[in-house]
Structures are given as C-alpha cells and as structure tokens.
C-alpha cells in the first residue's frame, strides 16, 4: 500500500506511552486490553455514547485553519480605553517568558525550594504594586480588575466596625464592567451599592466604605485627600481602583488615604487578548494583612540560613477555613504577574516615567490638535483619556475613524480617546485629521509641531507624584537586553517545570501543553483585540468561541457554556449564582442550603459561602465514598431549603463512585440542583459526562483537562456548562451582550473571560478529535492504575473502585511513617533530590500524597517516578530499621543544594552521593534545588512581602 495518505496524528504526540508501552502496562496490570481496564474502572451505567466531534486535524492543518480564522479578526488601533490598552510587550519578555515552557508550565509555588525563581518574580510584582499604589502590602495577583474590586469591597465589608452598615458608595464614574461585577457580588451579602460621588454624598451611618475610580472612567483626575479624611473620621473606608501606569505621575492613593487599591497590571506589557488574561493587583494597609484575598509571597530563610521565599500566611487558606475563608481565589494570573514584574524591571523607574509622560504628552497634544478645529474637550484634568463633545458629528467621526482603522469610545454625543504606550505622533496626526475632516478642514491648517513645546499641564499640581518608586536594585539593574535575558534565565533555572520532569499533582492535571496549541496565542490578530471592539472586527474570535462552545457542550453533555469565569473557583461561583437565579425565577429564592462532601476541594465551600449559601457537610464512608444514606438524610432534612449539592466526579479520592446517578436523583427529588466540580474531567472525557450523569451545572478547568498551561498559578479558564433549564440564567455582561434578559450580571471584567487562551483548548480538541480525546482519558486511567500497581507494595493506596481500580489519580498513605518521625513533607522534599515535584500533599486527606500522572507521561517517565518513590520508601525503611538516624537522615535534610553537597564541612552520617545522586538516572539529569528547606513559621512571624533592601536583609 502506498504511503501517500499517511498523516501524523497529534494524538500520538500528546499521549505519552507508545503502543508497546501500553501493552507492557496492561500486562503488568493483568488485563488483556485497555477496554477491559476501562470496564473495570468506569461503572457501566454511566458510560456514554462516543463523542461527535470534527475529525482530528494534524498540527500543520490546524495552524492553517487557525490562521484563516485569525484573518477574520480586524486589528484596528484601539483608543477605547475603559481599562484595556495597547501595550508594547518587550520581545525579551515575550519570547523568554510568555512563549517559554520553562515559565508557563510551572505549577503554583507550593514547593518553595524548587520555585525560587517565580517566587522572586512575584515578590518583585508585589514590590511594584506597593511602590506604585503607596500602600504597605500587596498580594501576588487576582483575576481581573472587576473581581479585584469585588474582593476589596468584601474585605472592607467583613472588616467593618459598624456591623449594621451595609452600603458601599460607588462613584458613578466607574468602569461599567466593574460595576456589573460589584452588583453580582454584592447581592448574596445584602450589600447595597449606592451610586454617589463620595465627595458629594452624605456620609450616613449605614455606609461602610466608598469606591473611587482613579483616574475616573471618564478620564478626569481629582484630589480625594479631604474626602478620604472625612470618610475616615466617620469610620468609612476607601477602596480605589487605580490605573497603575497613571500612578507614575499621579499621587498614589495610598498617600491620600486609600485603604485598599486594586486594578489591573495589563498596561505593564500584557496584550489585551480580547479580554485577557491579565493580572489584577490588590494592595492594602498592613493592618489588613490577615484578611487579604489570594496569595502573598514572603521572605524567610532556608535550613542553611540563606535568603529564601515562600507563599506566606494563607497558603491553601480555603482548605483550612473552608466556608469561613476570606475568598475563593485559587488559580490567579501568576504568569501575567510575572511578566508585568519583568516589564517593570526592564524599564525601571525612569523608563516607566518616560512611558507615562509620553502618554500624557500625546494626550495633551491630541487635545490641542482637535480643539484647534473648534471641538470642546471636556476633561480639565486627565492622564490619558480625553472626551470631546461632538454633538451630531459623532456618526461622521465614527465612520471616518473606522476608515482609518481606529476605534474610539462613543457615548451619546461624546467621543472618548485614550492614549497608550503604543500611540505615536503619527497616530495623533491621524486622529486630528479625522476630526478636522468632519469640520471640512484639511489638517494642513494646523501644524501640530507648533503645540509640542507649549503643552499645558493636565494634572493639578497637588496631584503630581513626588515620592520615588522602584528604587530596589531589581528594578535598576536589567535595562539592557542581555542583562534582562540573563536575569530571566537565572530565575527560570531555579524552578522545576514540565521541561524537567512529570509533575504528578493530583487534582491539578499537569498534562502536556503542546507548542502548537500555544503558537497562535501571541499572534497580534488574537492578542491586539480590545474586548469591547465592534462585533464586525471580532468574527474570528466569535467563530472560535462558538465552535469551542459546541465542542465542550458535546463533551460535557450540556446545552450551553459560559466562557466568562476565568478560573475554576470563579466557575463554581458563577454556577451557584446561576442556580440561585433559577430558584428565584420559580419563586424559591429561600433555598439556601448547599450540601458539600467532606472531601471537597476548599474552593467549594468558599464559593458556596460567597454565593450566600449555608454549607452542610456530607460524610464520606471509610472507603472514601460519599455516604449515600447521610446524603439522603441531609437532603430530606433540608428539602424545604435545599439549594444544591457540590460534587466532584470522579471523587477527589480518585474513584468513580457507583451510585452517582442515585446521588443526583436524591438531590433533584428534594428540590436541589447538582453542581459538578469538573476538576476531574480528565477521567470523564469521552467515557461519561456530567450531563449524562445527571448534573445541572459543571465548571471545566481548561487549565487542567484542556491543556492551558498552569503558568505557575494561572492563567486559567473556568467556563461553566449548564443543562437547558439553566441556559437563560448564564452570566451576561453590561457592555457586550452575551446572554439573555434573565442572565445574571457579570462575574468577570471581560465578556469571555481570558478569551485569548481559549485558543489553547480549541487547538487541543481540534487536533485530538473525539477518538483522540477518549484515548487520552483511557491512557490517563491506564497510567494511574499502572502507578498504583507499581507502588501498592510500598505505600498503602487509599480507596479504589469496586474492582480495585482507581480513576485517573490515587492517594498514597504516608501517615504510617510518622511513628519514626517521617512526615509526608519529608517525602515531598526528598523527591526534589530525585528531580521530581511532589504530588499533591495532604489533599484531600492529611498526611497523604495524591498522584495524577495524566496521559501525557510515557512509561519511561512514569517508571522513573515510581523508582524514585520506591527508593525513598527504602530510605524510610532504613530509619524504621534503625540503620539511619531518626533526625540526621537524607529525608529530614532534604532537599540538598549544590552548595551543601559540595561544602568543605560535610559531616552527615550519609554520603554526598546518597544525598544528591541516589539513583543512576540522576547522573544524566540532575536538577538542583536552589535553596534548602524553607522555614515556614519564621516567614509568618516577621512578614516581609516586598523586596527587602540588601542591608535590611543582612541585618535581619
Ligand atoms: C483546581 C481545583 C479547583 C479550583 O480551580 P481553580 O481554577 O484553581 O480556581 C476546584 N476544585 C478542584 C477539585 C480542583 O482540583
């Protein structure tokens, strides 16, 4: 037969094991075929018919197809503003961070010793935020400006002194999308949004805080010092949303009295991407440090007394505090925060000041030029945004702007223009020409050059920033490209990523993030689109999003998806709010009880409480399954008020629970809705589906199951799928219509969340096809069961299904080693010496490791990992047998740095080779942890959350 029709299959690149390896693993498991293994694993009653998806495309064919789709997007120059601006992403950051798997495939830095690079970049980010806002403490990123504002509102609400106050004053000049999200988030807590400018409003007793947009959405800047003082005198706090770039020139809100400052860091080099991803920031006063949502990076030291970083305070806060957690934020936007921090380091204080000043000067020049033709510019004060009152000429200006491939902002008889980093003198000439033409003038009538040297100030003197920023050496040392490149690479080298070895994190699904899937994300035809661009310029995006909607609906068995939630936890919240709206539409708004199994991920109870629900915990039996009788009893007991069940499937214990359909029925019979947490969807795709099982809503973590890389803790996407009866309630958006009249208000800033990374999941499905996706699921289950079989004799494996099989992950019990002083953390740290990232530690069961290999790991890699864990088990056995000391051993001292192993005063009872090269493969492939074991409690006792000066650190 001829080979002319032969085509390489992407599936064969995505799935790790070769067919020979698959056969070897099946043999090891004692089954004849993959089908037989799947039959033993997935209960027959939930098996779905095969997926109906388009035929798989090769990588080459896919890139051709997506190039054609991208051509349907029109990249007009945006002057829309409204929180999204064109940027200039420095090439050195684009190629070496954004497009570099050494940065984008990392996991959230829970294992600090092999994550010092991104921890440093995130500490730099916090420093940038503190410096620009003038506040004392900042977190390492939130999802977007609107949700950050909502977090600010909620934090100030929780911390309010007068517990009867429930009014949040909102200045009317707020970005509409931010107001939309505030509305959504205010409802469950009974917070009243009162639209009034804090400068004019009566500060009544029922007000707990006030919100100010700075500069205002209409572009003006005003001095709020006295207003803030007056509010504080009445116990009212101030939350400000500020444009970070403007703060290079404006007095930072922290200096005039803001208690919380939030915003986006998009302007620091992050492409608009039709809405995201971008990192939001959150800064506040030191006194609120224990209430801050999200992650905070802090300085501490390691076992050798050296400088080391780690996540501070509320690490995994939701897992501990559950429904009392201060927020449900888990995945944030780490990669984008890292990029913004490098942008700040690359430009430094003077560079950023130059950029901000140029923006302001070009805005002033635009104002002068346009005014010269008889237009009135309404903003007396401004940073970058102008408003021209144009009356009936608006339509003409709009059409002339479109002729010049420019988008302005239009509101009634006003044309708004926001200048940004990418704007040039030539752009200003074009803008002036557009306005001139409508007045019937040629631009030659006015010479812009005449204005250049006599631009008046547009920022009032009392608002001019005087305080310095970015004074730390990290922002003053890397301004040449070589220095920057090497700084980026030096940090990257400290971090273990998927470039080095498998990251077997249970529940997190760290699978292949294929290069071809990533390529289009940084194309300008996807990157340079404003989320509020006119619809006829975005049809490429809409085609991609609509097809992805159809495919994910088929995969989940649901009627429709909403792409607004930009993380799994946001999906949970959105889904619960949709359920709430559904109950309300039936006159059952009193339903407020949410059942959640004890094994649930911490975001579940945290989201439920944000949605105003009362959490009732359902027991799990000794085999790890939901206790169906307990569930029934609680559903019946709360039937009158039952809102929903949140259930993860397969369970977080890694098992396909047989009675899942019965569980759904019990909830429905008692008037509730079933929310499925789709984090474990990787075990379902093609074999079963949430819709088929009987769930009503499910979020997908596209950054787990559908190949969006983890980015060191984000970006992610958490779209929700819903059954037909819930479709009318899917989130809408105030600027761009994306749902019906009954739709709930927005849950994110942008109508399609972090739209540009949807391309990654789109590519994955397009190149895998239905059969390929199903094979991926089958392979993930095979890999997991193979690991289980290899490790069972060494570590007890908790929980399994009826036939002794696990789903796509399993839990290794390490609690038995405690009696010889070995903790699960010691195993996690020792794995670093073997070149591996630890599995998930202590979730969902304390003292255990949850292992998930995914389908993308070959048998060779999986065997290497098993060999490492078995070798570690032997090291534990040596302690158990008394051959190794219970304190002075390789586990307790792990991880070992190169400095420790090569030090002249080695005095350990084990050899250097045992410390660093315990298995032969390491000779070839050694990854050195850059610091020794970090000291957690020291870091929390003295919290240092921005770059310490070198002297300060030396003294500490
Ligand atoms: C990852 C995960 C979540 C949270 O998703 P994020 O995208 O990080 O917000 C929720 N539930 C489970 C079971 C998870 O594994």
């Amino acid at each position: 037969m001829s080979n002319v029709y032969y085509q390489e299959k992407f599936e064969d690149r995505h799935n790790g094991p070769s067919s020979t390896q698959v056969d070897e693993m099946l043999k090891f498991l004692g089954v004849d075929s993959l089908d037989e293994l799947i039959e033993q694993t997935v209960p027959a009653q939930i098996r779905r018919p095969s997926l109906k998806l388009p035929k798989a495309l090769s990588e080459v064919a896919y890139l051709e197809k997506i190039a054609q789709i991208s051509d349907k997007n029109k990249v007009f120059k945006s002057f829309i503003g409204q929180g999204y601006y064109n940027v200039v992403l420095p090439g050195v950051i684009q190629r070496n961070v954004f497009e570099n798997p050494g940065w984008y495939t990392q996991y959230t830095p829970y294992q600090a010793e092999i994550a010092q690079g991104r921890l440093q970049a995130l500490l730099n980010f916090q420093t940038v935020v503190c410096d620009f806002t003038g506040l004392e403490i900042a977190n390492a990123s939130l999802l977007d400006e609107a949700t950050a504002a909502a977090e600010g509102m909620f934090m100030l609400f929780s911390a309010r002194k007068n517990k009867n106050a429930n009014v949040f004053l909102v200045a009317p000049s707020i970005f509409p999308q931010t107001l939309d999200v505030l509305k959504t988030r205010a409802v469950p807590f009974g917070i009243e949004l009162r639209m009034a400018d804090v400068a004019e409003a009566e500060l009544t007793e029922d007000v707990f805080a006030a919100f100010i947009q700075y500069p205002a959405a209409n572009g003006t800047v005003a001095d709020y010092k006295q207003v803030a003082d007056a509010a504080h005198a009445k116990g009212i706090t101030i939350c400000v949303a500020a444009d970070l770039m403007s703060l290079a020139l404006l007095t930072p809100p922290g200096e005039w009295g803001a208690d919380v400052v939030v915003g986006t860091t998009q302007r620091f080099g992050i492409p608009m991407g039709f809405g995201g991803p971008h990192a939001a920031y959150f800064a506040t006063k030191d006194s609120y440090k224990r209430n801050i949502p999200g992650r905070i990076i802090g300085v501490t030291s390691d076992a050798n007394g050296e400088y080391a970083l780690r996540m501070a305070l509320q690490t995994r806060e939701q897992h501990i505090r559950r429904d009392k957690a201060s927020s449900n934020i888990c995945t944030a936007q780490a990669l984008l925060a890292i990029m913004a921090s490098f942008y700040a380091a690359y430009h430094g204080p003077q560079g950023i000041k130059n950029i901000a000043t140029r923006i302001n000067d070009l805005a002033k020049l635009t104002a002068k030029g346009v005014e010269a033709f008889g237009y009135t510019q309404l903003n007396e004060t401004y940073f970058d945004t102008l408003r021209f009152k144009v009356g009936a000429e608006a339509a003409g200006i709009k059409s002339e702007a479109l002729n010049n491939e420019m988008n302005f902002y239009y509101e009634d008889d006003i044309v708004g223009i926001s200048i940004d980093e990418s704007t040039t003198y030539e752009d200003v000439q074009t803008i002036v020409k557009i306005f001139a033409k409508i007045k019937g003038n040629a631009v030659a009538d006015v010479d812009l050059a005449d204005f250049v040297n006599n631009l008046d100030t547009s920022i009032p003197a009392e608002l001019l920033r005087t305080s310095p920023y970015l004074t730390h050496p990290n922002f003053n040392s890397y301004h040449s490209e070589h220095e920057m490149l090497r700084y980026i690479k030096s940090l990257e080298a400290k971090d273990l990523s998927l470039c080095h070895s498998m990251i077997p994190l249970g529940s997190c699904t760290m699978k292949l993030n294929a290069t071809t899937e990533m390529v289009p994300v940084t194309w300008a035809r996807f990157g340079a689109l404003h989320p509020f661009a006119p619809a006829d310029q975005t049809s490429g995006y809409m085609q991609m999003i609509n097809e992805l909607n159809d495919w994910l609906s088929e995969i989940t068995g649901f009627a429709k998806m909403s792409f607004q939630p930009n993380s799994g936890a946001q999906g949970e919240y959105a889904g619960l709010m949709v359920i709430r709206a559904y109950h309300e539409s039936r006159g059952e708004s009193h339903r407020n009880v949410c059942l959640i199994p004890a094994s649930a991920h911490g975001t579940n109870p945290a989201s439920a409480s944000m949605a105003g629900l009362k959490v009732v915990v359902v027991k799990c039996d000794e085999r790890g399954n939901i206790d169906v009788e307990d569930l029934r009893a609680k559903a019946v007991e709360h039937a009158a008020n039952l809102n929903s069940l949140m259930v993860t499937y397969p369970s977080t214990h890694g098992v396909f629970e047989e009675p899942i359909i019965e569980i759904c029925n019990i909830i429905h019979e008692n008037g509730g809705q079933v929310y499925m947490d789709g984090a474990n969807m990787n075990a379902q795709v093609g074999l079963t589906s949430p819709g088929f099982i009987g769930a009503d809503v499910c979020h997908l973590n596209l950054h787990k199951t559908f190949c969006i890389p983890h980015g060191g803790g984000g970006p992610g996407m958490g779209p929700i799928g819903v059954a037909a009866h819930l479709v009318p309630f899917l989130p809408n958006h105030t600027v761009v219509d994306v749902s019906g009249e009954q739709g709930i208000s927005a849950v994110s800033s942008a109508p399609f969340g972090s739209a540009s990374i949807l391309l990654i999941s789109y590519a994955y499905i397009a190149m895998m096809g239905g059969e390929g996706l199903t094979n991926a699921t089958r392979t993930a289950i095979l890999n997991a069961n193979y690991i289980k079989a290899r490790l069972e004799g060494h570590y007890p494996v908790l929980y399994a299904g009826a036939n002794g099989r696990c789903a796509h992950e399993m839990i290794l019990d390490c609690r038995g080693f405690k009696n010889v002083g070995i903790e699960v953390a010691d195993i996690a740290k020792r794995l670093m010496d073997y070149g591996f990232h630890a599995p998930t530690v202590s979730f969902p069961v304390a003292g255990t490791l949850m292992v998930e290999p995914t389908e993308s790991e070959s048998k060779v890699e999986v065997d290497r990992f098993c060999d490492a864990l078995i070798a570690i088990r032997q090291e534990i056995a040596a302690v158990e047998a008394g051959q190794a000391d219970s304190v002075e051993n390789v586990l307790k001292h792990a991880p070992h740095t190169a400095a420790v192993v090569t030090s002249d005063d080695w005095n350990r009872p084990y050899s250097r080779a045992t410390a660093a090269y315990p298995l032969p493969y390491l000779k070839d492939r050694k990854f050195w942890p850059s610091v020794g074991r970090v000291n957690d409690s020291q870091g929390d006792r003295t919290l240092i959350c921005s770059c310490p000066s070198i002297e300060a650190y030396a003294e500490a």
Side-chain angles (χ1 to χ4, degrees):
M1 213 182 88
S2 122
N3 230 356
V4 293
Y5 298 118
Y6 176 78
Q7 209 187 40
E8 264 187 26
K9 284 163 97 181
F10 172 71
E11 179 191 338
D12 296 337
R13 307 289 184 191
H14 176 85
N15 291 336
S18 65
S19 55
T20 323
Q21 292 176 345
V22 168
D23 291 342
E24 286 166 13
M25 290 194 277
L26 290 171
K27 200 164 158 205
F28 191 80
L29 291 175
V31 290
D32 290 333
S33 67
L34 205 41
D35 286 340
E36 186 183 336
L37 175 68
I38 299 305
E39 273 159 31
Q40 291 175 0
T41 308
V42 186
Q45 65 273 23
I46 62 166
R47 289 294 300 277
R48 62 167 290 162
S50 57
L51 289 170
K52 289 194 197 60
L53 292 171
K55 192 168 166 294
L57 297 178
S58 71
E59 294 179 61
V60 174
Y62 171 73
L63 285 173
E64 270 169 29
K65 173 179 167 159
I66 197 68
Q68 281 167 10
I69 294 176
S70 78
D71 281 343
K72 298 180 187 170
N73 288 333
K74 295 188 196 140
V75 183
F76 284 17
K77 188 133 200 182
S78 174
F79 297 89
I80 300 171
Q82 299 288 299
Y84 300 93
Y85 307 87
N86 305 294
V87 294
V88 180
L89 168 57
V92 64
I93 299 173
Q94 173 166 334
R95 174 153 296 187
N96 299 292
V97 184
F98 203 19
E99 299 176 339
N100 175 358
W103 282 99
Y104 65 66
T105 68
Q106 302 163 345
Y107 182 60
T108 310
Y110 286 115
Q111 297 296 335
E113 296 83 356
I114 48 174
Q116 292 293 302
R118 61 193 179 281
L119 284 164
Q120 181 62 56
L122 292 171
L123 188 77
N124 292 352
F125 176 84
Q126 290 175 179
T127 308
V128 170
V129 172
C130 288
D131 282 8
F132 276 94
T133 59
L135 279 169
E136 290 141 9
I137 187 164
N139 73 6
S141 75
L142 290 176
L143 294 163
D144 56 37
E145 176 159 323
T147 57
E151 298 286 347
M153 170 178 77
F154 180 65
M155 189 187 90
L156 295 175
F157 179 70
S158 309
R160 72 201 187 284
K161 297 242 160 55
N162 172 7
K163 293 295 173 199
N164 295 320
N166 74 329
V167 172
F168 191 54
L169 278 185
V170 179
S173 192
I174 175 178
F175 288 138
Q177 67 273 21
T178 305
L179 179 60
D180 208 12
V181 172
L182 287 179
K183 274 184 193 159
T184 314
R185 298 275 289 263
V187 170
F189 297 103
I191 296 173
E192 180 196 328
L193 301 183
R194 188 175 293 164
M195 301 305 293
D197 198 309
V198 56
E200 289 144 24
E202 213 186 313
L203 299 178
T204 44
E205 284 224 326
D206 53 358
V207 178
F208 67 89
F211 177 90
I212 296 166
Q213 184 99 39
Y214 180 79
N218 63 22
T220 56
V221 285
D223 185 358
Y224 296 98
K225 170 111 187 52
Q226 280 163 8
V227 173
D229 289 347
H232 285 147
K234 297 204 158 181
I236 296 168
T237 48
I238 305 279
C239 177
V240 176
D243 170 4
L244 216 52
M245 185 60 83
S246 75
L247 300 182
L249 304 184
L250 300 176
T251 307
E255 288 177 21
W256 52 250
D259 298 275
V260 173
V261 184
V262 298
T264 170
T265 58
Q266 188 258 320
R267 280 197 124 160
F268 278 36
I270 317 299
M272 288 187 284
F274 199 43
H278 323 122
Y281 70 84
F282 186 107
T284 187
K285 294 178 170 165
D286 193 62
S287 51
Y288 290 107
K289 68 185 172 211
R290 284 174 205 278
N291 308 52
I292 300 178
R295 307 189 171 107
I296 304 175
I297 312 306
V299 180
T300 185
S301 57
D302 75 352
N304 316 308
E306 302 288 336
Y307 171 91
L309 302 171
R310 57 182 276 280
M311 294 205 286
L313 297 177
Q314 63 278 78
T315 301
R316 300 230 151 164
E317 189 224 31
Q318 297 117 12
H319 283 309
I320 297 155
R321 304 196 58 208
R322 315 288 292 183
D323 53 321
K324 307 279 181 314
S326 60
S327 129
N328 70 343
I329 293 292
C330 181
T331 287
Q333 304 277 18
L335 182 71
L336 300 312
I338 287 167
M339 286 169 62
S341 83
F342 282 129
Y343 176 96
Y346 194 42
H347 288 296
Q350 193 54 48
I352 290 187
K353 181 145 192 192
N354 289 342
I355 292 167
T357 312
R358 186 180 67 223
I359 290 172
N360 184 237
D361 282 348
L362 286 174
K364 290 188 286 194
L365 184 65
T366 309
K368 280 239 176 198
V370 174
E371 279 169 345
F373 290 97
Y375 292 93
T376 313
Q377 200 283 114
L378 298 173
N379 291 345
E380 271 173 44
T381 60
Y382 57 87
F383 163 61
D384 65 350
T385 296
L386 307 166
R387 282 186 311 148
F388 296 100
K389 197 162 173 62
V390 298
E393 285 156 346
I397 292 170
K398 184 170 183 176
S399 111
E400 193 53 27
L402 290 173
N403 287 341
N404 284 278
E405 307 205 334
M406 286 185 166
N407 292 327
F408 299 157
Y409 176 79
Y410 305 98
E411 193 182 294
D412 306 325
D413 60 347
I414 290 172
V415 173
I417 291 184
S418 293
I419 304 295
D420 60 50
E421 180 186 3
S422 76
T423 311
T424 60
Y425 183 79
E426 289 71 29
D427 290 331
V428 175
Q429 282 178 317
T430 308
I431 293 171
V432 173
K433 220 189 291 183
I434 290 167
F435 281 83
K437 185 166 175 187
I438 301 306
K439 291 274 192 213
N441 289 297
V443 78
D445 297 353
V446 171
D447 189 353
L448 281 186
D450 291 344
F451 300 134
V452 167
N453 291 320
N454 56 27
L455 298 171
D456 307 325
T457 174
S458 73
I459 298 171
E462 66 276 14
L463 277 182
L464 278 176
R465 177 166 194 148
T466 53
S467 52
Y469 50 85
L470 304 185
T471 53
H472 191 273
N474 287 354
F475 304 104
N476 294 280
S477 308
Y478 313 112
H479 300 165
S480 75
E481 182 165 331
H482 250 156
E483 291 295 344
M484 191 67 208
L485 175 67
R486 288 167 192 157
Y487 184 51
I488 290 172
K489 287 288 164 185
S490 74
L491 294 185
E492 180 190 337
K494 295 178 177 182
D495 288 11
L496 189 134
S497 70
L498 284 175
C499 300
H500 301 97
S501 51
M502 68 187 284
I503 301 186
L505 281 158
S507 211
C508 297
T509 315
M510 301 288 286
K511 57 164 67 175
L512 172 75
N513 314 118
T515 311
T516 300
E517 292 159 1
M518 303 301 140
V519 166
V521 176
T522 44
W523 290 351
R525 280 181 186 276
F526 289 114
L529 264 67
H530 191 289
F532 309 154
D536 63 355
Q537 295 172 20
T538 64
S539 40
Y541 255 116
M542 290 320 299
Q543 179 185 338
M544 184 270 289
I545 291 171
N546 289 333
E547 284 181 30
L548 186 59
N549 173 70
D550 295 347
W551 299 348
L552 290 176
S553 298
E554 165 68 9
I555 289 167
T556 55
F558 282 131
K560 194 166 193 273
M561 310 292 301
S562 162
F563 290 101
Q564 211 170 100
N566 42 17
S567 76
Q570 291 298 94
E572 293 170 19
Y573 176 74
L576 292 173
M577 293 302 283
V578 164
I579 290 174
R580 181 189 171 103
Y582 167 76
H583 286 312
E584 206 170 85
S585 76
R586 295 158 47 99
E588 304 201 330
S589 52
H590 60 279
R591 293 190 170 274
N592 70 342
V593 171
C594 182
L595 304 184
I596 300 184
S599 63
H601 193 268
T603 54
N604 290 187
S607 299
S609 103
M610 278 169 61
L613 301 176
K614 199 174 136 233
V615 174
V616 172
V617 178
V618 177
K619 280 190 227 152
C620 289
D621 64 21
E622 70 287 353
R623 299 191 59 203
N625 297 325
I626 292 178
D627 181 334
V628 178
E629 287 325 304
D630 188 55
L631 174 93
R632 192 189 310 278
K634 287 186 170 139
V636 170
E637 181 191 340
H638 297 286
N641 295 317
L642 188 62
N643 177 288
S644 49
L645 164 76
M646 293 186 88
V647 59
T648 307
Y649 198 76
S651 71
T652 51
H653 290 147
V655 178
F656 284 100
E657 294 167 279
E658 301 271 341
I660 185 67
I661 292 178
E662 184 189 352
I663 287 171
C664 293
N665 288 340
I666 293 171
I667 298 304
H668 288 145
E669 280 157 17
N670 289 287
Q673 294 279 291
V674 176
Y675 183 94
M676 190 168 279
D677 178 329
N680 288 346
M681 194 66 198
N682 212 45
Q684 287 195 39
V685 178
L687 301 179
T688 182
S689 77
F692 192 85
I693 289 167
D696 303 287
V697 197
C698 174
H699 79 257
L700 299 175
N701 300 71
L702 296 188
H703 46 299
K704 295 178 181 173
T705 314
F706 294 93
C707 298
I708 293 175
H710 218 84
M717 270 295 277
I720 54 172
V722 295
H725 63 284
L726 296 178
V727 169
F729 308 102
L730 285 175
N732 212 331
H733 189 276
T734 167
V735 184
V736 182
D737 238 348
V738 289
S739 179
E741 259 171 46
Q742 285 177 285
I744 62 168
S745 44
V747 296
S748 300
S749 285
F752 303 102
S754 299
S756 63
I757 53 173
L758 291 174
L759 282 162
I760 298 165
S761 303
Y762 179 78
Y764 174 59
I765 299 172
M767 296 191 294
M768 290 292 270
E771 203 183 304
L773 288 173
T774 311
N775 282 336
T777 312
R778 288 148 47 98
T779 309
I781 291 172
L782 172 66
N783 270 352
N785 278 287
Y786 176 72
I787 294 182
K788 176 170 177 283
R790 273 211 67 191
L791 294 180
E792 237 156 12
H794 306 277
Y795 295 86
V797 175
L798 289 179
Y799 317 124
N803 298 311
R805 300 296 181 197
C806 62
H808 63 312
E809 60 191 11
M810 85 226 65
I811 296 176
L812 305 179
D813 193 352
C814 303
R815 292 171 295 191
F817 313 133
K818 273 190 186 215
N819 53 11
V820 291
I822 301 299
E823 303 286 336
V824 66
D826 298 322
I827 300 173
K829 302 304 172 193
R830 182 58 177 155
L831 267 169
M832 297 172 185
D833 289 333
Y834 285 85
F836 284 104
H837 191 289
T840 302
V841 177
S842 290
F843 170 75
V845 182
T848 65
L849 295 172
M850 179 160 57
V851 179
E852 178 182 1
T854 84
E855 69 278 9
S856 300
E857 300 304 337
S858 69
K859 177 168 179 292
V860 176
E861 182 67 2
V862 165
D863 275 332
R864 222 163 56 84
F865 174 68
C866 291
D867 292 345
L869 270 179
I870 291 167
I872 291 174
R873 180 64 187 92
Q874 283 153 4
E875 292 169 354
I876 299 170
V879 180
E880 288 170 334
Q883 293 153 354
D885 188 80
S886 64
V887 179
E888 293 296 312
N889 62 54
V890 274
L891 288 132
K892 284 285 168 201
H893 281 300
H896 297 82
T897 62
V900 164
V901 173
T902 57
S903 148
D904 287 338
D905 53 349
W906 178 264
N907 54 9
R908 304 268 166 88
Y910 50 90
S911 75
R912 292 172 149 118
T914 307
Y917 293 98
L919 282 177
Y921 72 77
L922 289 159
K923 292 272 180 331
D924 234 22
R925 270 207 193 185
K926 177 68 186 169
F927 180 87
W928 288 101
S930 63
V931 298
R933 185 119 27 135
V934 301
N935 187 329
D936 281 328
S937 52
Q938 180 201 334
D940 279 352
R941 273 196 313 275
T942 21
L943 201 59
I944 306 172
C945 299
S946 54
C947 298
S949 71
I950 290 155
E951 310 81 67
Y953 190 74
E955 283 159 23

